[in-house]
Amino acid sequence: WLGFTFDVTGTLLMHLMAEGSFSLKDPHTLTGQLALWLMLAHAVWASIVVHRNLEKMKNLFHRYSLLVWAVWLIPYFGGMLMAMS
């Protein structure tokens, strides 16, 4: 949850610093929003799996974690490349 909180805070701060309007038509914004929603679902699922100690769900959870991380890398590196250009 702490990681999700920091990511949302960082995203909001970058939004405040950015020039231009907010549009989901922009690929960077769209993938960033997708990543944040996936991270929220990830945090909720993690809380449930840990609280209930569901061994069977831990395997699926780790696979989902890799998917969320991979999606998160798209706006992360995309934003970095946009800033450098």
Side-chain angles (χ1 to χ4, degrees):
W1 282 103
L2 189 59
F4 176 70
T5 301
F6 283 137
D7 207 342
V8 168
T9 302
T11 300
L12 287 173
L13 290 173
M14 292 304 291
H15 175 69
L16 293 174
M17 292 172 35
E19 298 172 2
S21 62
F22 176 78
S23 171
L24 285 177
K25 293 179 182 178
D26 175 36
H28 178 69
T29 303
L30 184 61
T31 57
Q33 284 292 312
L34 177 62
L36 287 174
W37 286 106
L38 288 173
M39 283 188 281
L40 176 61
H42 184 264
V44 169
W45 191 5
S47 297
I48 292 169
V49 168
V50 169
H51 179 70
R52 295 183 184 169
N53 196 23
L54 302 170
E55 289 297 324
K56 188 175 181 180
M57 294 303 284
K58 287 181 183 178
N59 248 355
L60 291 174
F61 176 76
H62 291 301
R63 289 182 192 167
Y64 182 72
S65 295
L66 287 174
L67 171 72
V68 171
W69 177 72
V71 170
W72 176 81
L73 286 175
I74 296 168
Y76 180 78
F77 285 115
M80 186 171 55
L81 292 172
M82 286 172 34
M84 291 189 309
S85 62

